[in-house]
Every structure is written in structure tokens, then in C-alpha cells.
């Protein structure tokens, strides 16, 4: 299944491939987080603000979700 993310050009989100859609500070948030071989990553979009945060970590100790949220809090007052 795909999910329409936003009427403002976000396209669709393929939840079958791990994408999540939720709300962050009243805005649509599209996110995908993963890990492979000791690395952590995250890709977060806020379509209404035309904003993307990409986290690439070289450690499996990194909490990519928390890091992305801390960045988003500063960028979406």
C-alpha cells in the first residue's frame, strides 16, 4: 500500500518499504530509519517546509531518530 503524504507535492509514501508518515509540531513528517553493519541512518522530510534532514552515522550507538528530532526542533520553530 502507498499513502498520500501531503497535497503540497510530497508524492506518496510506500509504507511497505519502511516509510512512516506522522505529525511533528503540526506538520507532516515522512521518515525512514535503518541500520546496517554497525552504521545508523535516517531520512526525514517535512514537505510543507520543503525541508529534509539526513543522518548518516558510523556507529551503531547513534540514535538517528533522536538526532533528527533535535535538528527538526531547531529548524521548525
Amino acid at each position: 500500500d502507498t499513502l498520500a503524504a501531503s497535497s503540497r507535492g510530497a508524492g506518496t509514501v510506500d509504507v511497505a518499504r519502511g516509510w512512516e508518515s506522522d505529525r511533528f509540531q503540526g506538520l507532516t513528517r515522512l521518515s525512514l530509519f535503518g541500520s546496517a553493519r554497525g552504521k545508523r541512518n535516517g531520512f526525514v522530510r517535512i514537505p510543507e517546509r520543503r525541508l529534509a534532514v539526513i543522518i548518516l552515522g558510523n556507529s551503531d550507538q547513534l540514535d538517528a531518530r533522536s538526532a533528527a528530532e533535535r535538528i527538526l526542533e531547531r529548524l521548525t520553530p
Side-chain angles (χ1 to χ4, degrees):
D1 284 319
T2 58
L3 172 67
S6 167
S7 62
R8 300 190 73 192
T12 58
V13 175
D14 189 344
V15 295
R17 295 183 188 256
W19 282 95
E20 298 176 12
S21 178
D22 63 358
R23 305 292 285 175
F24 179 82
Q25 296 183 355
L27 301 167
T28 301
R29 173 174 53 186
L30 309 175
S31 59
L32 178 68
F33 296 94
S35 62
R37 294 183 232 155
K39 297 173 172 59
R40 300 282 173 121
N41 59 68
F43 188 110
V44 181
R45 288 188 62 218
I46 306 291
E48 293 94 338
R49 296 283 173 92
R50 300 180 66 188
L51 173 67
V53 173
I54 300 170
I55 304 292
L56 301 173
N58 234 5
S59 167
D60 63 356
Q61 302 298 307
L62 174 67
D63 183 350
R65 185 178 304 269
S66 292
E69 286 194 357
R70 287 193 309 271
I71 293 168
L72 287 173
E73 287 170 355
R74 290 177 175 249
L75 297 175
T76 58

